[in-house]
Amino acid sequence: MSNIPSELRYATTHEWVRPEGDGTFTVGITEHAQELLGDMVFVELPEVGSEVSAGDDVAVAESVKAASDVYAPISGEIIAVNEDLEDSPEQVNADPFGDGWLFKIKAEDPQEFEDLLDAEGYENSIDEE
């Protein structure tokens, strides 16, 4: 069973979201998602400053098996991207909830975070796949 940290929220599309306490949120893909994809070879990140809506495809995670869209779990402005992934996309595999984060977003409506799945809800969603 994949590691599903309880302090995070999750989208059914396998993104995790961590509140940073100042209206910004860090986003990455779950351990479950990176296990399905396999070894990362490239990550295409969104542009800092771009405005995104929840559900927009904003990044691409490319592995030896497939390329997969990464979706914005909440609406807002992209304020940072993990530039380390340009040279080390394998960080997504090695530490999906830490150094493998993808981008940070300043939430348009922080309530959207509350509407995401908790760890138990996410676990139930992947059990149904």
Side-chain angles (χ1 to χ4, degrees), residues 29-91:
I29 62 170
T30 65
E31 187 173 290
H32 176 73
Q34 66 82 19
E35 286 170 354
L36 291 175
L37 286 168
D39 294 338
M40 291 295 155
V41 293
F42 179 73
V43 179
E44 182 182 317
L45 297 168
E47 218 172 280
V48 171
S50 55
E51 294 282 338
V52 299
S53 296
D56 286 357
D57 55 330
V58 295
V60 177
E62 198 171 311
S63 71
V64 292
K65 291 184 189 175
S68 181
D69 287 332
V70 177
Y71 300 93
I74 58 176
S75 302
E77 179 187 353
I78 304 295
I79 58 166
V81 296
N82 188 350
E83 293 176 0
D84 293 344
L85 298 181
E86 287 179 24
D87 295 326
S88 303
E90 66 277 0
Q91 283 295 338

Side-chain angles (χ1 to χ4, degrees), residues 19 23 26 35 39 57 67 84-85 89 96 102 108 123 126 129:
T26 301
E35 286 170 354
D39 294 338
D57 55 330
D84 293 344
L85 298 181
L102 300 180
E108 192 174 285
E123 186 172 356
I126 59 179
E129 286 183 352

Side-chain angles (χ1 to χ4, degrees), residues 12-32:
T12 56
T13 49
H14 308 295
E15 293 82 17
W16 58 262
V17 184
R18 180 178 60 233
E20 299 301 336
D22 58 358
T24 66
F25 297 84
T26 301
V27 178
I29 62 170
T30 65
E31 187 173 290
H32 176 73

